[in-house]
């Protein structure tokens, strides 16, 4: 037989599709398992990152199915978004047409990979029968005060002509197009995510199946801090500057005030003063700086004196006020009391601007002189220069100082959060319309539920300058007020596309359900929560936090019955490849730099560092080429074998070739034995076997145990594949038995069948073909997962390490049931040990069962 991956794969993909092999229905008699990968944006083509992500999920789904679970493994499309709109402008094609054409192409690509999706549950978020329920939830949230509109300063991308959430600004740039983000004041719709802030934070510790890294990122983004709100009166008598601090123990050392450059107070304080123009330029400069980098200890501390002062409420000192780049307007009050002797950033700022420094916390063993300090003292110590609190340990004085502030009316205890309400308004066309109406008489009025969905009109004209065409479409905008019947205007903002992805996993449970609220509670109660969610670490804050919030909102509306949407989370690593660059033509695609020469000009190619695959770097591999050349099974195996799923995968042509060669090796050993083993059943029971067959059978069951453990406990598919490779090597190492030796052939058949079933989740097309050729009526995918017989898998002998005073000196092979005293005696009688012990006295012999003997000698 010849291994022809294309013919085999297309055959089995058609069979799975025709027979709806992976269609899922609720079955209370079986344990459920909901496996989900983050659904793709229909950009036009899948990339290797998609292949890796979805292959990981597919292996788990197929494995769980073979373990007897009722598996739900759906797929759909995160179909709204800016790229479709930009394509409409650039290519003069409607976003709906562009999106559906892309979906059609990508769907073919996904099917060609052999993923076990239930395609009957496919959803596209741009369809009205999807977003109509989202609009209903919006109205319910509006009625409960969880959706509201307010005028606010927002992040704005001029190129995309739309608002961005804080989480969508990366290094001061738009996350979509990379353009500098500016600030703009607009009327915006918000979701009140802060109403769930304590629960979102508390449940971070109730999700043990999530990576610690993700939970830490979410906790930091929520940013809960307990401290005091302290008022610093302005010296001009125009009110006070409120400061939130967790370090009220350092109040007596506050010598100047820092205000976030983008805080409205900055321009207010500078207004009409000589510094006004310089301040305006400084504010513009800081707004372009990355917010995360600004707060880094390594970033240059910049500031500008605002020619204004405030008063320290505890010392009465006159404190100069500075605009600073390392203070953020959206954290705390946007104003920070600076204590240069006990905060390193303040210390560096005070040094730079020659500002006063006063020590208020002193170490127990020495006295600090602010004039000679080279860095801030940030450890625990004794309070000095702190009035009535002198002599107290600073950490133990926090509550006493808080009491004092409240008693004197100079401050109060409070809790602050970094997280702000979720701005969901977008001034774009290709998104779900917000179901609200603006009436001059009645104000903001919700669209009646009976009139849902508010359908996104398709008869629109796009401007090359961008911006939403909805605002200029009279037949969409002009409507009547549901309350008074008078003329009114429909809301023309659309929802942030993260709203669609915040509940799609719940829609999958009943995707065709057309009765309010669009989700079948019985189906939700059966399938939710998602047992295993898989996606990139880049979604740790945005999507995952929003999805958690949205599920809690739906829970409180009685729509769903779970507190959290995802029980377990796997964040897979990136796919990376070295870059190739031509001195004249810049980055090259792999095929343009093959052979070390630029295909365009013939110049030598410069090999760059290995980086995440991206279109801009051109270090990409077309999955279609990979499948056409090697087959989907090889692509799947390489993505799984090259690295553990949570680690980055480095692309390697040698690795792809190696995966293909192994599949060919498996095919050949199967073909070699096929005629001999086809009429023979696999060995059963515990018959007496020759040593080589006993070894092979032991290896078979050890492999079953190893692969099961690696997939079940760790998702370490690379080591699971390696174990099967070792089993195949063992098969090649067995002396070919005579055709009449049915016992020997039955052992070989057991080993081959085990290898096939263990690889079925990983390379399902080849294994289905081999399983069928063996004469099985049921598909390999429908078989039960192999079970290890521990009695067969156990070794007859074990290796014991022998140490002298903790140092390895020899090894000993003994029967696994050898008594402890005999093992110790054998260790002491070992020739190497005797030579090492010459002239020494043995003080003690320690035995660690099944591992080592340690001889303590002097």
């Amino acid at each position: 037989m010849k291994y022809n991956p294309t013919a085999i794969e297309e055959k089995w993909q058609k069979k799975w599709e025709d027979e709806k092999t992976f269609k899922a229905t609720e079955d209370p008699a079986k344990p459920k398992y909901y496996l989900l990968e983050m659904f793709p944006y229909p950009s036009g083509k899948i990339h290797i990152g998609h292949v890796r992500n979805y292959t990981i999920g597919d292996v788990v789904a197929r494995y769980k199915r073979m373990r007897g679970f009722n598996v739900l493994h759906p797929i759909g499309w995160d179909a709204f978004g800016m790229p479709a709109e930009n394509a409409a402008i650039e290519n003069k094609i409607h976003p709906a047409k562009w999106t559906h054409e892309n979906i059609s192409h990508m769907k073919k690509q996904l099917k060609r990979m052999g993923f076990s999706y239930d395609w009957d549950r496919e959803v596209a978020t741009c369809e009205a029968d999807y977003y109509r329920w989202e609009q209903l939830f919006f109205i319910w949230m509006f009625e409960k005060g969880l959706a509201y509109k307010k005028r606010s300063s927002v992040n704005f991308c001029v190129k995309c002509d739309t608002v961005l959430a804080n989480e969508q600004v990366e290094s001061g740039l738009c996350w979509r197009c990379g353009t500098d983000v500016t600030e703009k004041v607009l009327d915006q719709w918000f979701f009140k995510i802060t109403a769930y802030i304590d629960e979102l934070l508390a449940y971070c510790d109730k999700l043990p199946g999530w990576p610690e890294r993700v939970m830490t990122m979410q906790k930091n983004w929520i940013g809960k801090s307990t401290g005091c709100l302290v008022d610093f009166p302005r010296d001009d008598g125009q009110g006070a500057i409120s400061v939130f601090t967790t370090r009220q123990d350092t109040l007596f050392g506050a010598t100047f005030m820092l205000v976030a450059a983008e805080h409205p107070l900055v321009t207010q304080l500078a207004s009409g003063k000589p510094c006004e123009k310089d301040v305006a330029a400084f504010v513009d400069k800081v707004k372009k700086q990355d917010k995360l980098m600004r707060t880094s200890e390594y970033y240059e501390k910049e500031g500008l004196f605002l020619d204004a002062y405030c008063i320290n409420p505890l010392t009465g000192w006159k404190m100069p006020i500075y605009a600073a780049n390392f203070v953020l307007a959206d954290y705390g009050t946007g104003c920070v009391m600076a204590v240069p002797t006990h905060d390193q950033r303040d210390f560096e700022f005070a040094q730079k601007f020659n500002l006063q420094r006063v020590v208020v916390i002193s170490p127990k063993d020495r006295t600090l002189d602010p004039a000679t300090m080279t860095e801030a003292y940030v450890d625990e110590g004794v309070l000095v220069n702190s009035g009535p609190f002198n002599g107290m340990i600073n950490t133990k004085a926090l509550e006493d100082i808080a009491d004092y502030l409240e008693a004197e009316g100079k401050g109060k205890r409070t809790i602050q959060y970094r997280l702000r309400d979720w701005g969901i308004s977008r001034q774009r066309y290709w998104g779900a319309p917000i179901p609200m109406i603006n009436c001059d008489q009645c104000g903001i009025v919700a669209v009646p539920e009976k009139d849902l969905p508010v359908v996104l009109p398709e008869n629109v004209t796009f401007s090359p300058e961008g911006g939403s065409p909805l605002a200029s479409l009279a037949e969409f905008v002009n409507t009547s007020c549901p309350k008074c019947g008078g003329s009114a205007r429909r809301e023309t903002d659309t929802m942030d596309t993260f709203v669609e992805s915040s509940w799609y996993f719940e829609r999958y449970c009943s995707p065709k359900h057309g009765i309010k609220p669009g989700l079948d509670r019985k189906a939700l109660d059966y399938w939710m929560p998602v047992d295993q969610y898989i996606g990139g670490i880049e979604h740790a804050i945005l999507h995952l936090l929003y999805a958690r919030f949205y599920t809690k909102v739906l829970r409180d509306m009685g729509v769903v019955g779970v507190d959290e949407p995802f029980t377990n989370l796997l964040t897979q690593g990136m796919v990376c490849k070295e870059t190739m660059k031509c001195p004249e033509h810049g980055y090259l695609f792999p095929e343009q730099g093959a052979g070390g020469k630029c295909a365009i000009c013939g110049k030598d190619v410069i090999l760059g560092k290995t980086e995440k695959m991206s279109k801009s770097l051109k270090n990409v591999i077309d999955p279609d080429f990979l499948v056409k050349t090697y087959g989907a099974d090889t692509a799947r195996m390489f993505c799984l074998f090259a690295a553990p799923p949570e680690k980055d995968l480095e692309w390697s042509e040698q690795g792809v070739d190696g995966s293909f060669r192994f599949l060919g090796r498996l095919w050949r050993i199967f073909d070699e034995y096929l005629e001999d083993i086809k009429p023979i059943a696999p060995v059963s029971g515990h018959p007496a076997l020759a040593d080589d067959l006993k070894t092979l059978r032991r290896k078979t069951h050890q492999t079953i145990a190893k692969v099961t453990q690696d997939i079940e406990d760790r998702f370490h598919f690379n080591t699971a594949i390696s174990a099967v490779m070792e089993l195949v090597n063992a098969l090649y190492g067995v002396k070919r038995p005579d055709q009449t030796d049915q016992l020997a052939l039955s052992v070989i058949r057991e080993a081959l069948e085990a290898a096939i079933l263990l690889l079925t989740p990983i390379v399902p097309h080849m294994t289905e073909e081999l399983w069928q050729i063996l004469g099985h009526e049921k598909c390999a995918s429908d078989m039960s997962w192999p079970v290890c017989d521990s009695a067969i898998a156990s070794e007859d002998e074990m290796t014991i390490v022998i140490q002298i005073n903790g140092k390895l000196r020899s090894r000993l092979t003994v029967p696994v049931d050898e008594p402890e005293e005999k093992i110790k005696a054998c260790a002491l009688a070992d020739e190497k040990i005797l030579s090492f012990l010459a002239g020494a006295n043995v003080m003690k012999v320690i035995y660690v069962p099944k591992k080592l003997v340690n001889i303590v000698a002097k």
Side-chain angles (χ1 to χ4, degrees), residues 365-380:
D365 59 350
R366 67 187 191 277
T367 300
L368 297 176
D369 179 358
T372 59
M373 290 176 69
T374 57
E375 62 181 1
Y377 179 74
V378 296
D379 296 326
E380 187 179 77

Side-chain angles (χ1 to χ4, degrees), residues 48 74 168 269 356 398-399 468 571 695 722 728 760:
I48 290 293
Q168 294 168 324
L269 290 174
Q356 182 185 14
L398 287 166
E399 291 303 311
S468 172
T571 52
T695 300
S722 181
V728 172
T760 290

Side-chain angles (χ1 to χ4, degrees), residues 111-371:
K111 287 187 174 182
R112 186 61 187 84
M113 289 303 304
F115 298 135
S116 59
Y117 294 131
D118 179 356
W119 284 101
D120 287 350
R121 293 176 182 262
E122 179 185 12
V123 301
T125 60
C126 63
E127 300 294 343
D129 63 358
Y130 181 88
Y131 65 73
R132 67 173 296 183
W133 306 115
E134 190 174 298
Q135 292 174 338
L136 176 66
F137 301 147
F138 186 102
I139 291 170
W140 288 355
M141 291 173 75
F142 175 72
E143 292 170 349
K144 292 178 177 291
L146 294 173
Y148 64 92
K149 194 172 191 178
K150 73 170 183 178
R151 195 162 185 78
S152 67
S153 176
V154 294
N155 303 308
F156 197 84
C157 174
V158 177
K159 182 176 180 180
C160 296
D161 197 23
T162 193
V163 168
L164 302 173
N166 287 340
E167 298 89 340
Q168 294 168 324
V169 180
E170 299 174 350
S171 303
L173 306 176
C174 172
W175 75 309
R176 285 282 191 194
C177 69
T179 301
D180 285 341
V181 172
T182 61
E183 288 202 0
K184 199 170 184 178
V185 177
L186 293 172
D187 289 328
Q188 296 289 293
W189 283 98
F190 291 84
F191 281 163
K192 198 169 186 178
I193 191 171
T194 53
Y196 287 82
I197 202 164
D198 287 323
E199 186 179 353
L200 287 168
L201 185 60
Y203 270 81
C204 284
D205 295 322
K206 297 179 182 179
L207 294 169
W210 284 44
E212 185 62 33
R213 179 184 176 192
V214 175
M215 295 284 58
T216 298
M217 291 169 74
Q218 292 214 353
K219 286 178 181 179
N220 290 343
W221 192 257
I222 292 169
K224 182 178 181 179
S225 300
T226 301
C228 290
L229 196 64
V230 185
D231 290 333
F232 289 72
R234 283 168 52 177
D235 79 327
D236 59 6
Q238 301 298 309
I241 297 175
S242 292
V243 169
F244 171 74
T245 179
T246 60
R247 295 296 309 277
Q248 58 267 28
D249 56 319
T250 63
L251 260 167
F252 286 87
T255 57
F256 56 95
M257 180 67 65
L258 299 172
V259 183
E262 61 269 44
H263 196 294
L265 182 62
V266 169
T267 52
Q268 179 188 329
L269 290 174
S271 179
K273 297 177 181 177
C275 64
E276 186 173 12
K277 282 189 177 180
D278 289 340
V279 169
F282 179 72
V283 169
D284 286 340
K285 175 186 176 182
V286 173
K287 282 181 177 179
K288 294 176 182 178
Q289 295 175 350
D290 177 71
K291 287 186 177 180
L292 185 61
M293 289 301 297
R294 280 165 54 187
T295 61
S296 166
E297 60 182 295
Y298 306 108
Y299 207 77
E300 183 185 358
K301 311 299 178 287
E302 297 179 289
L304 202 65
F305 179 46
L306 299 177
D307 196 14
Y309 296 86
C310 62
I311 307 300
N312 185 317
L314 297 189
T315 65
W317 293 332
K318 193 175 179 181
M319 300 167 56
I321 305 173
Y322 282 76
N325 69 333
F326 60 96
V327 179
L328 301 180
D330 57 1
Y331 185 71
T333 65
C335 305
V336 173
M337 63 174 201
V339 185
T341 50
H342 304 295
D343 181 278
Q344 187 59 30
R345 295 184 307 172
D346 297 347
F347 183 88
E348 293 170 13
F349 193 91
Q351 274 192 319
K352 184 173 184 177
F353 293 95
N354 195 28
L355 296 169
Q356 182 185 14
R357 291 178 287 178
V358 176
V359 172
V360 292
I361 302 173
S362 179
K364 297 176 182 179
D365 59 350
R366 67 187 191 277
T367 300
L368 297 176
D369 179 358

